[in-house]
Amino acid sequence: MKIAISGKGGVGKTTIMALLANHLKERGKDILIIDADPSPHMAETIGVKDVEKITPIAEMKTMLVERSGKTEGSPFYNINPQVDDLLGRFMVEHDGMKLMVLGAIQEANGGCACPENTVLKRLLTTLLLSPSQVVLLDMEAGVEHLGRGTIATVDQLLIVVIPAQSSVRTALKVKKLAEESGIPRISFVGNLIQDQEDKDFLTENLDLPPIAFFPDSTLIRKTERRGDPIIKANQDMEDAVRELQAHIPGLS
Ligand SMILES: Nc1ncnc2c1ncn2[C@@H]1O[C@H](COP(=O)(O)OP(=O)(O)O)[C@@H](O)[C@H]1O
Ligand SMILES: [Mg+2]
């Protein structure tokens, strides 16, 4: 099972993905999180101590070019770069979960054929998963910087949306792009929900009702400000994360 998360910047993608990862881990799933955000902070969110020791794969330019770059004189990229060893080399294990930091995918017109993307695509397509294994892909806002072929390899896209017009607009745009990419299942997830009116606003303004609503949590805010891992402050979020799991086919 491969799940990606998207939505406007700051809506809570990393927070929700970390909570889902922790919840699934506690239920016996084998978790690999791939942080593909150009400003990665999944490591802090799940409480990795030596964050600075993690090397994002994207910073290993020479290696990436070797793996996926054009060979001299050829107009073609190597679409099958060798990536089997990358998991072992770049993965950190923390609290029973595996994390790999990809780093920035350089954008290019019309989806990108850059080495980072080629390597991510190859990673996602080569990972053959048993039912107990779940790959969670944390990304930047949209899906447009990933080529069709990369993002289409995920089984489910979660689009995080908060009760604000601008967030709804982004969410609808991302959904359209994701549909065009051929992602089999796309769902909205509400965040920063304070009351029924917030839920109604999202349900009325989106073209699909959100599959889970995460509350606006003082505990999460305080924990984040203290610099503590937010997955340890999940008390307010337990119902929502359970609801989320229940609505993702293949996860229960
Ligand atoms: N449900 C919530 N309640 C309170 N604070 C939240 C909630 N979700 C996210 N946050 C806070 O909002 C900020 C942005 O969240 P983050 O998950 O990093 O967003 P994104 O990954 O979409 O950029 C963080 O400081 C996080 O702690
Ligand atoms: Mg994030």
Side-chain angles (χ1 to χ4, degrees), residues 191-237:
N191 192 25
L192 296 184
I193 301 298
Q194 294 188 347
D195 53 23
Q196 187 60 41
E197 203 181 311
D198 286 346
K199 291 186 186 179
D200 294 345
F201 173 80
L202 288 178
T203 307
E204 283 160 20
N205 287 282
L206 293 166
D207 54 2
L208 275 177
I211 57 171
F213 291 102
F214 284 77
D216 191 339
S217 161
T218 310
L219 181 61
I220 293 275
R221 212 169 297 131
K222 286 186 175 163
T223 306
E224 195 272 344
R225 284 202 290 254
R226 276 202 307 273
D228 289 341
I230 68 99
I231 56 170
K232 301 286 181 227
N234 59 352
Q235 289 91 324
D236 295 347
M237 313 299 249

Side-chain angles (χ1 to χ4, degrees), residues 8-9 40 42 90 95 105 130 132 139 157 159 163 172 184 189 203 209 216 219-220 240 246:
K8 204 170 156 51
M42 180 57 86
F90 290 99
D95 211 2
I105 291 182
S130 73
S132 69
M139 302 187 296
L157 178 70
I159 305 174
L172 288 169
V189 177
T203 307
D216 191 339
L219 181 61
I220 293 275

Side-chain angles (χ1 to χ4, degrees), residues 10 12-15 35 37 39 41-42 138-139:
K13 296 181 290 296
T14 302
T15 304
D35 191 345
D37 193 307
S39 337
H41 68 287
M42 180 57 86
D138 189 15
M139 302 187 296

Side-chain angles (χ1 to χ4, degrees), residues 9-49:
V11 294
K13 296 181 290 296
T14 302
T15 304
I16 289 176
M17 190 133 265
L19 291 167
L20 179 65
N22 191 54
H23 178 84
L24 294 174
K25 177 203 76 182
E26 286 174 352
R27 277 148 195 82
K29 298 284 189 194
D30 193 357
I31 302 294
L32 167 65
I33 306 171
I34 301 178
D35 191 345
D37 193 307
S39 337
H41 68 287
M42 180 57 86
E44 288 94 334
T45 308
I46 63 172
V48 174
K49 295 283 181 306

